[in-house]
Amino acid sequence: MFDLDGRRQHQHRYRKVRRLTRNIDRIARGKRPDRQQRLKALYRELLSEAGTVCDRARALLEAIRRNGCLTPEAMAMEAELETFLPRTLQVCDTARRRVLLEEHVPNGEKLFSIFEPHTQLYKRGK
């Protein structure tokens, strides 16, 4: 549909991100003393990969707008990209601040669900 570089790498990138998130979950559960350094390295790699995916999504969005495609598929893709790209960037920024910069991010600035942004954190009295 659109002639963009790297369009066939989606499965490779998906597997790489999935592997990184599994490793992050496994290391975060552990008790090793070097856990924070290992997590930071994996988060850097994951955020780099997410940045690449977001750049490609921006390029696709620009290509859709530039070509003026009015097909239902292109219009649906444009709507999804306009919705999920800013949310993904917000989640990446929160993760970068929280893990790499070791900053305390208030709950009001966090996005708890990329699909339902109105989701809030409820603290239970424990």
Side-chain angles (χ1 to χ4, degrees):
M1 182 179 207
F2 300 102
D3 190 29
L4 298 174
D5 291 334
R7 68 180 187 279
R8 297 185 328 173
Q9 292 184 351
H10 70 279
Q11 193 167 17
H12 165 71
R13 294 207 178 279
Y14 176 73
R15 286 180 183 152
K16 188 172 182 180
V17 167
R18 207 171 65 191
R19 177 183 50 83
L20 285 168
T21 55
R22 276 196 311 258
N23 286 340
I24 287 171
D25 289 342
R26 183 178 49 82
I27 290 171
R29 281 192 315 262
K31 304 284 186 210
R32 291 179 58 160
D34 64 339
R35 179 174 68 114
Q36 289 299 330
Q37 288 77 22
R38 293 174 73 200
L39 278 175
K40 282 184 180 183
L42 287 172
Y43 263 98
R44 275 189 201 95
E45 191 175 349
L46 180 63
L47 290 172
S48 171
E49 197 65 33
T52 301
V53 170
C54 287
D55 290 343
R56 290 175 189 240
R58 273 193 216 101
L60 178 60
L61 188 57
E62 288 173 14
I64 291 171
R65 290 177 179 158
R66 184 176 54 244
N67 292 338
C69 291
L70 296 176
T71 64
E73 295 87 9
M75 291 171 54
M77 193 181 301
E78 181 182 14
E80 277 193 43
L81 287 171
E82 286 176 347
T83 300
F84 288 112
L85 191 56
R87 294 177 191 176
T88 303
L89 293 172
Q90 181 182 354
V91 169
C92 289
D93 181 59
T94 302
R96 184 185 55 76
R97 288 172 52 199
R98 186 180 58 80
V99 177
L100 300 181
L101 302 177
E102 297 180 8
E103 184 179 315
H104 175 74
V105 181
N107 285 339
E109 296 179 23
K110 294 178 186 174
L111 186 64
F112 293 104
S113 173
I114 201 165
F115 302 104
E116 298 175 352
H118 60 276
T119 302
Q120 297 178 359
L121 176 70
Y122 292 107
K123 286 191 174 189
R124 295 170 59 193
K126 287 190 173 187

